[in-house]
Amino acid sequence: MVKPKYPLLFMLLVGGLMAAYYWSQPALPEQADYYPTGRDINPFSLTDAEGQPFTAANLQRHWTFLFIGYTYCPDICPTTLADLRSVYPKLKEIAPSSQVVFVSADPKRDDSARLKSYTAFFQPEFKAATAPHRQLFPFVRNLGLVYSIVEHDSKDYLIDHSASIVLINPAGKLVAVFRPEVGPGLVPHMEMDMLVSDFAKIARLADQ
């Protein structure tokens, strides 16, 4: 084996190349549960706030931030929509194709007209959709989210639902889940600055 004439210089060169390679790699998301290859989403059919079909085709060529809730929600839903409104310009800067989709788990009360006025109050570009439970529940479960109706027989029933936001890539695959911070007696709250930061990293990773 031939030894290099300048072993120290050789080691420094190799170390420098390794460091350069390491620092050139995009950083991984810090908060999100990230799925590099993406998870398939089964075929689904919802109805949007315009009364039109909302299917997998509506996810194609978009970065979609999707979460579930209902318009009568007293806390999590309006807070999440307001938070997403505050960072929406930043999301669009990272990827102009970004969209926010609010899926109602309350098809009985949330018709298209109500969904449209509700989301438009926060941001006219936000989209909304729902479907009968027999179609909606499998879709929500496929995304790793859940919901259940509390006191179903009551007129003013509440709905327990996931507070997470899922990110779907332009190929229509689920690539990340942003989970809120939770604490005793506190409304689950998403750290939006971290969501924006992680989205920028995920978008860069997708370009590699």
Side-chain angles (χ1 to χ4, degrees):
M1 180 177 179
V2 179
K3 295 183 180 180
K5 294 183 179 179
Y6 307 102
L8 180 59
L9 181 61
F10 178 76
M11 292 174 64
L12 290 173
L13 177 61
V14 171
L17 291 173
M18 292 178 64
Y21 174 80
Y22 173 81
W23 289 111
S24 68
Q25 300 306 298
L28 293 175
E30 296 179 38
Q31 172 183 290
D33 294 340
Y34 174 54
Y35 310 105
T37 59
R39 293 167 51 183
D40 290 335
I41 298 175
N42 298 330
F44 64 91
S45 180
L46 311 179
T47 300
D48 70 12
E50 301 294 338
Q52 300 300 311
F54 188 93
T55 67
N58 297 89
L59 304 178
Q60 298 291 325
R61 299 181 298 280
H62 292 281
W63 285 98
T64 302
F65 293 84
L66 182 151
F67 74 103
I68 64 168
Y70 63 116
T71 65
Y72 290 88
C73 178
D75 40 39
I76 296 173
C77 300
T79 299
T80 302
L81 282 168
D83 286 344
L84 284 168
R85 174 183 60 192
S86 69
V87 299
Y88 189 58
K90 295 180 181 179
L91 302 180
K92 299 288 280 188
E93 285 180 11
I94 295 169
S97 65
S98 296
Q99 65 177 358
V100 171
V101 177
F102 173 71
V103 174
S104 172
D106 190 8
K108 182 178 180 179
R109 294 180 294 186
D110 288 345
D111 58 18
S112 295
R114 184 172 177 85
L115 286 175
K116 184 174 182 178
S117 63
Y118 184 74
T119 53
F121 173 80
F122 296 93
Q123 164 56 253
E125 293 184 7
F126 286 179
K127 296 176 173 58
T130 191
H133 293 297
R134 66 180 181 277
Q135 298 163 234
L136 184 64
F137 189 76
F139 170 67
V140 170
R141 182 174 56 188
N142 185 212
L143 297 178
L145 306 175
V146 296
Y147 71 88
S148 63
I149 298 177
V150 182
E151 298 181 1
H152 197 289
D153 295 331
S154 171
K155 177 183 177 181
D156 300 319
Y157 59 85
L158 300 176
I159 297 178
D160 286 337
H161 60 87
S162 301
S164 299
I165 298 173
V166 300
L167 176 63
I168 301 168
N169 69 13
K173 291 190 174 186
L174 191 155
V175 291
V177 179
F178 300 94
R179 303 188 188 279
E181 298 178 356
V182 296
L186 300 177
V187 175
H189 181 263
M190 195 73 62
E191 178 51 62
M192 286 292 150
D193 288 341
M194 185 63 73
L195 180 145
V196 171
S197 175
D198 276 358
F199 176 43
K201 294 171 184 176
I202 292 170
R204 283 197 295 268
L205 287 165
D207 289 336
Q208 297 301 302

